[in-house]
């Protein structure tokens, strides 16, 4: 985990285990396609360098453990590599619950998610940790889960008009949330909410400018591709009425 202002790396205290992922022995000879007989400045293609990954670039296997030990202060960021056993959705829930954070608004974009991820997000809504949750999923996921997981998502997350789901041709994996204390957190990387069996990476940082940039674009997607029709109420309704009146 590369992180600003960090002196110690607790992840270096143990060997990283990739679980049941089969990693074949690496044979550098497979790259010996073009003989390297010419002088270096006359060779267009060269063999790739073979090297071992350094321990500090390999981090956590357990989402709860990382959420407990990772602290992001104002203006800081952390870059994380995780194993295929790591469940990104579990990390989001654990990070918020362990800090007893109150989140005013959370937006998640993902290619796919699981039933367990849905239950995890429900815990945040029912537990009062998140006031508003927006979920953007891919057309691919929606089409494959339309008659199974999609109804389950609506059933479990559509609570008191706190939830909205949008469906579009997306491949992004992000999570942004703003706490009641004004902290604006962005998490972005290669990991979907559920485990993939692959090594993944993500970055988590507190950055108001980047947060606003992400939300400006995801808000446009939500407005255009939302799937839940919500009634217009209270102050928003009054604003629409008065705006129409004065515009007329």
């Amino acid at each position: 985990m590369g992180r600003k202002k960090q002196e110690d790396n607790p992840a270096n205290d143990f060997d990283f285990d990739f679980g049941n992922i089969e990693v074949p022995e690496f044979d550098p000879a497979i790259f010996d396609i073009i003989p390297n007989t010419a002088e270096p400045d006359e060779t267009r293609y060269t063999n790739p360098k073979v090297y071992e990954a350094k321990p500090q670039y390999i981090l956590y296997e357990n989402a709860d453990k990382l959420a407990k030990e990772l602290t992001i202060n104002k203006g800081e960021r952390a870059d994380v590599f995780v194993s295929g056993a790591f469940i990104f959705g579990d990390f989001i829930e654990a990070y918020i619950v362990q800090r007893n954070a109150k989140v005013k608004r959370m937006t998640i974009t993902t290619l796919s998610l699981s039933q367990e991820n849905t239950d995890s997000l429900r815990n945040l809504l029912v537990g009062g940790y998140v006031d508003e949750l927006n979920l953007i999923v891919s057309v691919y996921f929606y089409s494959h889960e339309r008659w199974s997981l999609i109804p389950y998502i609506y059933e479990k997350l559509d609570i008191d008009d706190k939830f909205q789901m949008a469906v579009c041709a997306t491949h992004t994996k992000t999570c942004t949330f703003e706490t009641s204390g004004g902290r604006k957190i962005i998490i972005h990387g290669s990991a979907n909410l559920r485990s993939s069996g692959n090594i993944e990476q993500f970055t988590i940082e507190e950055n108001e400018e980047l947060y606003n940039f992400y939300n400006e674009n995801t808000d446009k997607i939500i407005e255009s591709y939302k799937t839940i029709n919500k009634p217009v109420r209270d102050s928003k309704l009054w604003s629409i009425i008065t705006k129409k009146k004065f515009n007329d």
Side-chain angles (χ1 to χ4, degrees), residues 43-245:
T43 303
R44 180 176 178 85
Y45 305 105
T46 61
N47 297 329
K49 292 183 173 64
V50 180
Y51 60 93
E52 294 181 0
K54 297 181 182 300
Q56 62 264 32
Y57 292 114
I58 299 177
L59 287 173
Y60 280 86
E61 193 169 14
N62 183 277
D64 289 334
K65 182 176 175 63
L66 175 59
K68 181 179 181 180
E69 298 187 1
L70 178 63
T71 300
I72 300 294
N73 296 315
K74 189 173 181 62
E76 289 187 343
R77 61 177 281 176
D79 296 285
V80 186
F81 275 83
V82 294
S83 81
F86 189 96
I87 301 175
F88 183 51
D90 287 356
F91 170 76
I92 295 174
E93 180 186 4
Y95 189 83
I96 292 172
V97 171
Q98 290 179 12
R99 286 156 181 77
N100 199 29
K102 179 68 172 179
V103 174
K104 296 192 296 183
R105 187 173 192 263
M106 173 182 287
T107 299
I108 296 174
T109 73
T110 184
L111 180 70
S112 62
L113 66 154
S114 67
Q115 180 174 320
E116 289 74 16
N117 295 147
T118 304
D119 294 337
S120 177
L121 293 174
R122 179 180 171 84
N123 292 339
L124 293 176
L125 289 173
V126 174
Y129 293 100
V130 175
D131 289 338
E132 178 185 347
L133 173 64
N134 299 300
L135 179 64
I136 301 175
V137 300
S138 67
V139 174
Y140 173 86
F141 172 77
Y142 185 89
S143 63
H144 281 75
E145 298 290 345
R146 185 173 183 177
W147 307 114
S148 54
L149 193 53
I150 293 299
Y152 186 84
I153 291 173
Y154 286 132
E155 177 189 351
K156 297 299 182 181
L157 301 184
D158 190 9
I159 306 170
D160 299 329
D161 280 339
K162 295 181 178 181
F163 175 67
Q164 180 61 268
M165 182 166 68
V167 180
C168 66
T170 183
H171 201 268
T172 59
K173 295 98 174 178
T174 67
C175 174
T176 62
F177 60 89
E178 179 181 3
T179 68
S180 58
R183 300 192 65 186
K184 295 184 175 181
I185 306 295
I186 312 97
I187 311 174
H188 52 95
S190 67
N192 288 301
L193 290 184
R194 61 186 180 188
S195 61
S196 66
N198 300 310
I199 297 174
E200 304 281 5
Q201 58 79 216
F202 66 86
T203 296
I204 177 171
E205 58 185 298
E206 181 180 10
N207 185 323
E208 182 174 359
E209 183 178 354
L210 187 60
Y211 175 92
N212 293 336
F213 170 75
Y214 272 62
N215 272 18
E216 179 182 351
N217 289 280
T218 54
D219 283 352
K220 293 177 183 177
I221 294 174
I222 294 168
E223 182 60 32
S224 298
Y225 300 102
K226 60 187 177 183
T227 62
I228 301 176
N229 293 318
K230 298 184 179 183
V232 181
R233 298 179 180 176
D234 304 331
S235 59
K236 186 176 180 181
L237 175 59
W238 179 251
S239 175
I240 292 174
I241 293 174
T242 55
K243 182 177 180 180
K244 178 175 175 55
K245 179 180 178 180

Side-chain angles (χ1 to χ4, degrees), residues 3-10 12:
R3 204 172 78 121
K4 295 181 180 178
K5 302 179 183 178
Q6 179 174 319
E7 296 179 358
D8 298 320
N9 187 349
N12 290 339

Side-chain angles (χ1 to χ4, degrees), residues 36-44 46:
N36 191 6
T37 57
E39 294 297 325
D41 58 347
E42 298 177 2
T43 303
R44 180 176 178 85
T46 61

